[in-house]
Amino acid sequence: MNTHKLKILLLFAGAVLFNIIFWQEKLAINAILFDVFILLSVFNLYTAAFTKPAMKWLVLAHLVTIATLILHNTILAKLAFAATLLLVVVFTQFLHRSVWYAAASAAGNYLLIVFSFMEDIGQIRRGDIKYLGIGKVLRFLIIPLMIAGIFFLIYRFSNTVFQDVVSSIGIALQRFIARFFDWFNWQRFWFLMLGLFVTGGLILKMRSNYFSEKEFSMHNDLWRRKHNLKKWKEGVMYDVLTLFMGRFANGIMALRNENTVGIISLVMLNVLLLFINVIDITYVWFGFSYTANLNLTQYLHEGTGMLIFSIILAMLVLLFFFRNNLNFYKKNKWLRYGAYGWILQNSVLVISVLLRDYYYITHMGLAYKRIGVLVFLLMVLMGLITVFIKIHQRKTAYYLWRVNGWFGVILLVAASCIHWDETIARYNLAHKSNIPVDVKFLLTLSDKTLPLLDKNQDVLVRTKELIQGEGEYLYRSGLTPKEMFEIRKREFFEKQRTYSWLSWNYADRYVKQNLTKSGLTASLNK
């Protein structure tokens, strides 16, 4: 079959499949069905995809996200599933090495979806489609249909079993037609359009290979280049250097002068950060003591804000000084030492923020932002390591973006393997005697935490003083925590009754089993 015909056929088939399996359902088992359809379609269209080195690891990561989607069914697992599926498809369609350029190609697929569709339609030649005349078809069918109709009536009236079977088939057809016409409403129509859009961005490849070609002009290793002095003086970088260095940015001594400026800058920045780190080591590492008057939120945010600012500044400054030929300057030893020292000191700052976050979790419990700080620190640590490698091994900025992009994908897949809501609830409830339990926050977590709350109902009936500023009521609606918990349970079971097997996942099954068992036990105790 013509490739363009196949794409259009797969597009509409995927849209119909999307409409059937996702309409009023959760993303669960149905995601596997859609995933299999998309991957088989893409690998059939682009058969050379398996030869790409990154494909094996991407497929493996994607399989992990499918497992976490069925096991945990969290928003993070769904996001990881969608991201890895998109990456698998794009790496199949284009030649890429970096997540960032692949993401740009994926965005291009969706932005240019209409043009890709029209191009594939235009490539289908009318001569490829064979038509049969309607009149000719009717002439061949009319006599056989009449004969078959007569014998059908004879068998129907003479055989009761046949009559029952025909009646059952008729009822099934009536139900099918009734359900089929249920599709014809505006909500279902727009959902079908959404299916076309989602499937189209995955199946249809944009004509341009701009981002793929752009990436392959990038390199991991720096090369010494001889600049066109006249052209360089017309660039922005020359204007920046001239603004700060004046005439020292010109001539054959420009590289040495830039090296001197870099050394002075890094010495000053190291001294400044050393002062900050000495304070943190003294008061955060070894001198911390928790008191009720200490605002741990502000205590953590101060360190995190400083870290963000310091790391961004470090990246920009180091990328500025180690961008081109200064990497190959023979007398840049002290500039490198200054850079290594600053990277090391930023690592000390990472440890200081990590300790702040640890104190916050120890005394106040787990929460999304506190976990987010830990993830951010991992990204920062990886960033510092890759900056060190860039300077030491003379790598390009593209290398930094590429490696850190892949690390971000690995971190996303790894994070999706943990049910964070359950982890938060389990930790906070396990330490309920030592930390103030935020009942309002716990009641906003996902359904997977309901069995844990059911086993720790004492936190739902605590006195006013222990419920942080909420009194015994929540949300200013006159609902007590206990009442809100019962509403959450009832809503869970009501939602479950609306789903079919397409929405099955282990997390919902676990909640249903435990809450049902708990309800039966409570009934027997009464």
Side-chain angles (χ1 to χ4, degrees):
M1 183 184 289
N2 183 290
T3 303
H4 301 286
K5 280 187 190 178
L6 183 59
K7 283 184 183 179
I8 299 301
L9 179 62
L10 291 172
L11 170 63
F12 285 105
V16 172
L17 178 66
F18 183 95
N19 196 287
I20 293 171
I21 64 177
F22 290 121
W23 175 250
Q24 296 181 341
E25 299 282 355
K26 295 181 74 172
L27 196 69
I29 288 290
N30 46 16
I32 297 179
L33 300 176
F34 187 72
D35 186 70
V36 170
F37 171 81
I38 292 296
L39 293 182
L40 287 176
S41 301
V42 171
F43 287 141
N44 184 50
L45 290 169
Y46 309 98
T47 53
F50 284 109
T51 61
K52 299 176 183 177
M55 189 56 63
K56 297 175 185 177
W57 298 107
L58 270 175
V59 171
L60 178 62
H62 185 58
L63 291 174
V64 171
T65 63
I66 292 173
T68 59
L69 176 65
I70 300 302
L71 184 63
H72 298 315
N73 205 245
T74 59
I75 294 174
L76 188 62
K78 294 172 184 177
L79 178 64
F81 166 80
T84 52
L85 174 60
L86 197 59
L87 284 174
V88 169
V89 170
V90 173
F91 271 81
T92 304
Q93 296 171 334
F94 300 92
L95 292 172
H96 280 302
R97 292 171 295 169
S98 161
V99 172
W100 305 107
Y101 281 95
S105 289
N109 276 355
Y110 277 101
L111 290 172
L112 301 175
I113 188 171
V114 175
F115 299 99
S116 301
F117 176 77
M118 297 305 296
E119 182 183 358
D120 283 315
I121 289 291
Q123 292 295 327
I124 301 174
R125 294 174 296 174
R126 295 183 63 88
D128 292 339
I129 304 173
K130 297 180 180 180
Y131 296 94
L132 290 174
I134 295 175
K136 188 177 180 181
V137 172
L138 289 176
R139 288 192 202 98
F140 280 109
L141 287 178
I142 190 165
I143 294 175
L145 284 173
M146 287 176 64
I147 295 171
I150 292 169
F151 278 93
F152 172 80
L153 292 173
I154 292 171
Y155 295 149
R156 188 177 186 276
F157 287 112
S158 62
N159 190 313
T160 55
V161 176
F162 182 73
Q163 186 176 0
D164 291 340
V165 172
V166 170
S167 298
S168 300
I169 293 172
I171 292 169
L173 283 172
Q174 286 177 359
R175 289 176 180 172
F176 173 78
I177 292 169
R179 292 187 65 183
F180 179 79
F181 280 99
D182 284 343
W183 281 31
F184 289 91
N185 60 65
W186 282 110
Q187 286 185 334
R188 198 68 186 261
F189 171 77
W190 289 117
F191 194 74
L192 179 64
M193 292 298 102
L194 175 63
L196 274 172
F197 178 74
V198 172
T199 309
L202 296 169
I203 297 292
L204 303 181
K205 174 184 175 291
M206 66 174 177
R207 186 177 181 180
S208 173
N209 292 316
Y210 173 78
F211 296 108
S212 180
E213 293 169 357
K214 185 75 175 175
E215 181 175 11
F216 271 81
S217 66
M218 302 290 180
H219 302 280
N220 289 320
D221 299 314
L222 276 171
W223 299 334
R224 187 161 193 169
R225 298 176 181 176
K226 188 175 181 180
H227 291 291
N228 185 325
L229 189 59
K230 183 179 179 181
K231 187 177 180 180
W232 184 70
K233 286 186 176 182
E234 294 173 355
V236 177
M237 190 59 66
Y238 174 78
D239 293 335
V240 172
L241 288 173
T242 305
L243 178 66
F244 291 101
M245 296 176 63
R247 62 186 180 86
F248 295 105
N250 294 300
I252 58 173
M253 303 299 288
L255 202 60
R256 190 187 73 173
N257 294 335
E258 190 177 336
N259 181 65
T260 303
V261 170
I263 292 171
I264 296 171
S265 301
L266 287 174
V267 167
M268 294 174 67
L269 289 171
N270 270 300
V271 170
L272 181 62
L273 190 53
L274 179 63
F275 182 70
I276 298 296
N277 280 331
V278 168
I279 294 174
D280 276 349
I281 291 170
T282 304
Y283 292 99
V284 178
W285 290 32
F286 303 108
F288 177 82
S289 60
Y290 177 70
T291 60
N293 297 325
L294 180 63
N295 188 336
L296 281 171
T297 304
Q298 183 180 358
Y299 185 71
L300 174 66
H301 290 173
E302 282 179 355
T304 307
M306 185 192 306
L307 176 65
I308 294 170
F309 177 75
S310 176
I311 293 301
I312 291 174
L313 183 61
M315 298 286 187
L316 291 175
V317 170
L318 293 178
L319 286 176
F320 175 79
F321 285 116
F322 291 93
R323 65 191 185 279
N324 284 320
N325 288 343
L326 196 55
N327 287 274
F328 303 96
Y329 183 58
K330 293 181 180 180
K331 298 181 180 180
N332 71 354
K333 179 177 70 174
W334 290 107
L335 181 66
R336 287 177 177 272
Y337 289 163
Y340 298 153
W342 203 22
I343 291 170
L344 179 62
Q345 289 213 78
N346 275 282
S347 301
V348 173
L349 192 58
V350 167
I351 298 172
S352 299
V353 177
L354 178 63
L355 287 172
R356 279 183 162 92
D357 199 38
Y358 168 74
Y359 298 145
Y360 200 177
I361 292 170
T362 302
H363 296 287
M364 300 300 291
L366 275 175
Y368 292 133
K369 290 182 180 178
R370 294 158 214 174
I371 294 171
V373 169
L374 297 177
V375 174
F376 172 74
L377 291 177
L378 277 174
M379 289 296 296
V380 166
L381 196 58
M382 186 62 183
L384 291 172
I385 291 170
T386 51
V387 168
F388 173 81
I389 294 171
K390 174 198 160 28
I391 296 171
H392 187 259
Q393 298 185 6
R394 295 170 180 169
K395 299 291 185 180
T396 61
Y398 167 75
Y399 165 83
L400 285 179
W401 285 104
R402 187 178 67 83
V403 174
N404 284 283
W406 281 114
F407 182 73
V409 172
I410 293 169
L411 203 57
L412 175 64
V413 173
S416 72
C417 296
I418 301 172
H419 198 299
W420 291 106
D421 281 18
E422 185 182 22
T423 303
I424 290 169
R426 193 178 296 279
Y427 178 88
N428 291 352
L429 292 171
H431 297 81
K432 60 188 176 185
S433 58
N434 304 322
I435 62 173
V437 179
D438 190 342
V439 180
K440 179 178 177 180
F441 171 64
L442 289 178
L443 286 169
T444 63
L445 298 177
S446 65
D447 293 332
K448 185 75 182 294
T449 62
L450 292 178
L452 286 170
L453 287 171
D454 193 47
K455 293 175 183 176
N456 294 270
Q457 292 202 29
D458 58 301
V459 301
L460 303 175
V461 292
R462 287 190 174 189
T463 59
K464 296 180 182 181
E465 291 76 21
L466 292 177
I467 301 173
Q468 297 180 330
E470 289 293 335
E472 62 179 313
Y473 298 105
L474 293 177
Y475 312 110
R476 299 177 183 177
S477 62
L479 292 174
T480 64
K482 175 70 173 174
E483 290 168 340
M484 190 64 196
F485 173 67
E486 294 300 329
I487 290 172
R488 285 283 310 275
K489 284 203 300 183
R490 186 170 65 251
E491 288 178 347
F492 170 77
F493 283 108
E494 287 174 355
K495 287 178 185 176
Q496 290 301 307
R497 281 192 288 271
T498 65
Y499 297 139
S500 71
W501 64 272
L502 291 166
S503 296
W504 187 91
N505 61 86
Y506 175 77
D508 286 350
R509 179 178 177 271
Y510 168 83
V511 176
K512 195 184 300 182
Q513 281 186 336
N514 281 271
L515 291 183
T516 303
K517 189 186 299 181
S518 174
L520 287 172
T521 305
S523 300
L524 290 171
N525 290 336
K526 288 181 180 178

